[in-house]
Amino acid sequence: MKFTKMQGIGNDYVYVNCFQETVKNPSETAKKVSDRHFGIGADGLILIKPSECADCEMEMYNADGSKGAMCGNGIRCVAKYVYDYGIAKKTELRVATGAGVKTLKLEVENGKVQSVTVDMGEPILDPEKIPVLSEKKQLVDEPIEIGGKQYRMTAVSMGNPHAVVYLDEIEHLPLEEIGPEFESHPCFPDRVNTEFCRVVDDQTVEMRVWERGSGETLACGTGACAVAVASILNGYTKDQVTIRLLGGDLQIRWDRATNHVFMTGSAAVVFDGEIDLED
């Protein structure tokens, strides 16, 4: 199987061009290629497939083989691949995902995509649709008990469910302990991604993320969008926010007039390769 490893601010995936390749068991393939000791090493697997309603379809799998609906950093890399590798030489693309068709605008320099702005669509705040088990219409600054300790979370979906938590200090937070407890808390029927955040000022927020099915990653695009929305809802920031992740920065803008969230960030090829899945 031929593949390309790509990363968006450190959120790395193995990409397969399914215009040319066939992946018979993507869930098992995702687990094999994601292994950082015995495989290629990645946060998961993304298949770039033909689509009847868009320029291509993005089908993503987490490192544990579970299927995801959407990946903000991943979709930027899909756009770069589609342009750079000649599937569609267009500076505005439509990509079908499990969370609907997304529109992307590409910044090209010297024939290569350098950055991508993604229309991530409308944030979902209805607990039933996120999903979170609650009778309330929105969950903003809502108490939640994890490991005998009280936290306060804001719940947002950007195609994936997110719980955004604000703390005074996140650098030394033991995510490997509390991340899994958030992920599998019974109030999240489909599990949850959790963002642990520190507000720097009204235009900047730092975050670390625990992703369901992958653990702590260097970046999460849908998570950064959820953090921006949550920060605005809590009155911490303006409508345009720089989100600082371990892998780099993302620019997020919530356009209140259209209720759409826009994410701008980089995308990069790490290397091309070929792997024998029968070994």
Side-chain angles (χ1 to χ4, degrees), residues 1-273:
M1 180 185 80
K2 293 180 180 179
F3 68 88
T4 300
K5 181 170 176 177
M6 304 181 76
Q7 59 89 10
I9 61 168
N11 200 188
D12 59 339
Y13 285 84
V14 171
Y15 293 78
V16 178
N17 180 354
C18 291
F19 285 79
Q20 300 176 352
E21 299 276 337
T22 299
V23 180
K24 295 180 180 178
N25 191 334
S27 180
E28 287 302 314
T29 300
K31 288 190 281 188
K32 182 168 185 176
V33 302
S34 297
D35 192 298
R36 296 191 184 275
H37 299 287
F38 298 101
I40 299 164
D43 292 326
L45 171 72
I46 291 180
L47 309 181
I48 303 172
K49 307 172 71 173
S51 169
E52 295 183 358
C53 63
D55 294 295
C56 68
E57 179 185 352
M58 162 183 156
E59 187 175 294
M60 70 157 293
Y61 295 84
N62 297 308
D64 68 350
S66 61
K67 192 173 183 179
M70 173 61 183
C71 173
N73 293 313
I75 199 173
R76 293 200 314 277
C77 291
V78 167
K80 179 175 175 62
Y81 187 100
V82 166
Y83 185 93
D84 287 6
Y85 287 76
I87 292 175
K89 284 288 188 179
K90 300 161 66 175
T91 56
E92 184 167 313
L93 293 171
R94 285 165 52 83
V95 178
T97 77
V101 177
K102 305 298 181 186
T103 301
L104 303 90
K105 294 185 178 180
L106 287 56
E107 293 294 328
V108 179
E109 294 180 14
N110 301 318
K112 300 289 185 182
V113 173
Q114 301 300 314
S115 69
V116 180
T117 297
V118 187
D119 181 349
M120 298 289 285
E122 299 184 5
I124 298 168
L125 303 174
D126 181 347
E128 185 178 356
K129 295 179 180 178
I130 291 174
V132 187
L133 301 180
S134 175
E135 298 297 323
K136 297 186 176 182
K137 293 183 178 180
Q138 289 186 11
L139 295 177
V140 177
D141 195 35
E142 188 72 14
I144 182 172
E145 184 174 322
I146 299 290
K149 183 177 178 180
Q150 287 286 332
Y151 295 87
R152 303 192 75 85
M153 67 150 181
T154 298
V156 182
S157 173
M158 293 299 308
N160 297 324
H162 295 275
V164 181
V165 177
Y166 295 93
L167 299 168
D168 294 331
E169 193 276 328
I170 61 172
E171 183 179 355
H172 303 291
L173 199 65
L175 249 64
E176 67 282 354
E177 296 176 15
I178 60 175
E181 294 194 61
F182 269 96
E183 178 180 352
S184 58
H185 191 282
C187 77
F188 304 112
D190 291 340
R191 298 186 295 165
V192 76
N193 304 283
T194 309
E195 287 72 36
F196 301 90
C197 307
R198 184 179 78 88
V199 178
V200 178
D201 55 40
D202 65 0
Q203 299 178 72
T204 314
V205 178
E206 294 178 342
M207 69 170 262
R208 291 174 65 188
V209 58
W210 182 271
E211 293 196 59
R212 60 177 183 172
S214 294
E216 183 173 17
T217 60
L218 294 180
C220 175
T222 60
C225 292
V227 167
V229 170
S231 299
I232 295 163
L233 289 174
N234 281 281
Y236 295 140
T237 67
K238 298 178 180 178
D239 288 1
Q240 180 144 344
V241 191
T242 297
I243 306 296
R244 294 179 180 170
L245 305 99
L246 295 180
D249 295 352
L250 290 173
Q251 306 300 321
I252 312 295
R253 177 172 62 89
W254 187 7
D255 185 338
R256 301 294 195 102
T258 62
N259 195 31
H260 279 227
V261 176
F262 296 86
M263 172 190 63
T264 301
S266 62
V269 172
V270 182
F271 61 86
D272 296 301

